Amino acid sequence: MHLGYFYFDPLYIILIVPALILTALAQAGVSSAFSRYSRVRTGRGMTGAQAARAILDANGLAGVRIEHIGGNLTDHYDPKSNVIRLSNSVYSSPTVAAVGVAAHEAGHAVQYAMGYLPIRLRNSLVGVTNFGSRLSMPLILLGFIVGFQPLVNIGILLFSGIALFQLVTLPVELNASSRALAVIDEQSLLEGEERRGARRVLTAAALTYVAALILSLMQLLRLLLRFGRRRDD
């Protein structure tokens, strides 16, 4: 094994750097879209919390609570507590961006209530993904250094769980946005350019999940090419 090759990996430049750039661009895109449409008020003066409540009630989910949470874009649905938590810029904000984000989180609550298969699958992968994220790289590097390929293979297998989680997450997020936009249309929560603005915000957010999936797949490909077989040189 050549130690110089161990420390300099051209595959990182070829595979990972472009994926990292794509991820950064996606993050910048969602920040830009949210910032832009956070300055566009809804014609009805509806806040993010009110929009989420309307979507929940339309789906018979009166038992799901909506709470305020600190931070920026920390919005999420907590299935254990059956609560949608909306951030400072969403909860009481009567803007197109706030309504879009809140509607998306309400879409997740609807998914859980309906037993949407991909979200159930994603939940089943959380434990494996957390375990793999902590141990995969240490196992790969340890196995590589001591020349024990089975340990490397176990590490790569654990890391593949992260890529699988990202793969399952993508349709979950796209479906939540689709559900949100459908109810926005049905109940006329937004109209015309407002709706197009909400779609742009949700599309920008979806691209961050696409970028995350691409990054995890490129990382997995790099590991397979770099460490996936014993090197006797």
Side-chain angles (χ1 to χ4, degrees), residues 151-220:
L151 195 59
V152 173
N153 294 340
I154 292 173
I156 293 176
L157 181 61
L158 288 174
F159 188 89
S160 68
I162 301 173
L164 179 59
F165 181 82
Q166 294 291 351
L167 180 62
V168 174
T169 293
L170 183 57
V172 169
E173 298 300 329
L174 293 176
N175 179 264
S177 293
S178 177
R179 291 175 187 272
L181 290 171
V183 177
I184 285 174
D185 283 346
E186 291 169 4
Q187 299 197 16
S188 299
L189 302 182
L190 299 174
E191 298 180 357
E193 184 59 32
E194 294 176 355
R195 185 189 184 281
R196 286 188 286 273
R199 177 179 288 277
R200 291 188 185 105
V201 171
L202 294 176
T203 299
L207 290 177
T208 64
Y209 293 99
V210 174
L213 173 60
I214 292 174
L215 177 58
S216 64
L217 290 176
M218 290 302 98
Q219 289 173 322
L220 178 59

Side-chain angles (χ1 to χ4, degrees), residues 12-41:
Y12 187 89
I13 304 299
I14 297 171
L15 298 176
I16 306 304
V17 170
L20 288 173
I21 293 173
L22 178 62
T23 301
L25 290 174
Q27 292 290 346
V30 71
S31 295
S32 175
F34 186 84
S35 176
R36 175 183 177 184
Y37 288 101
S38 287
R39 296 190 293 270
V40 179
R41 291 178 61 89

Side-chain angles (χ1 to χ4, degrees), residues 4-220:
Y5 188 80
F6 177 78
Y7 287 109
F8 175 71
D9 184 2
L11 290 174
Y12 187 89
I13 304 299
I14 297 171
L15 298 176
I16 306 304
V17 170
L20 288 173
I21 293 173
L22 178 62
T23 301
L25 290 174
Q27 292 290 346
V30 71
S31 295
S32 175
F34 186 84
S35 176
R36 175 183 177 184
Y37 288 101
S38 287
R39 296 190 293 270
V40 179
R41 291 178 61 89
T42 59
R44 296 177 56 181
M46 175 170 284
T47 66
Q50 290 171 337
R53 184 75 271 160
I55 292 173
L56 293 172
D57 291 346
N59 285 275
L61 300 178
V64 178
R65 304 192 315 278
I66 301 173
E67 297 179 352
H68 176 266
I69 189 174
N72 183 44
L73 292 180
T74 51
D75 315 271
H76 65 278
Y77 170 65
D78 180 357
K80 292 183 179 180
S81 302
N82 203 26
V83 173
I84 292 177
R85 298 189 175 95
L86 301 177
S87 63
N88 296 330
S89 56
V90 173
Y91 185 86
S92 58
S93 179
T95 66
V96 169
V99 169
V101 171
H104 177 87
E105 299 307 330
H108 282 313
V110 175
Q111 288 175 333
Y112 276 95
M114 296 183 62
Y116 181 58
L117 181 59
I119 204 167
R120 293 169 60 186
L121 178 58
R122 185 179 73 170
N123 289 345
S124 69
L125 293 172
V126 170
V128 174
T129 301
N130 290 337
F131 182 75
S133 65
R134 290 192 299 269
L135 291 182
S136 58
M137 290 308 300
L139 289 177
I140 291 171
L141 294 176
L142 178 61
F144 186 81
I145 290 171
V146 303
F148 188 58
Q149 189 62 29
L151 195 59
V152 173
N153 294 340
I154 292 173
I156 293 176
L157 181 61
L158 288 174
F159 188 89
S160 68
I162 301 173
L164 179 59
F165 181 82
Q166 294 291 351
L167 180 62
V168 174
T169 293
L170 183 57
V172 169
E173 298 300 329
L174 293 176
N175 179 264
S177 293
S178 177
R179 291 175 187 272
L181 290 171
V183 177
I184 285 174
D185 283 346
E186 291 169 4
Q187 299 197 16
S188 299
L189 302 182
L190 299 174
E191 298 180 357
E193 184 59 32
E194 294 176 355
R195 185 189 184 281
R196 286 188 286 273
R199 177 179 288 277
R200 291 188 185 105
V201 171
L202 294 176
T203 299
L207 290 177
T208 64
Y209 293 99
V210 174
L213 173 60
I214 292 174
L215 177 58
S216 64
L217 290 176
M218 290 302 98
Q219 289 173 322
L220 178 59

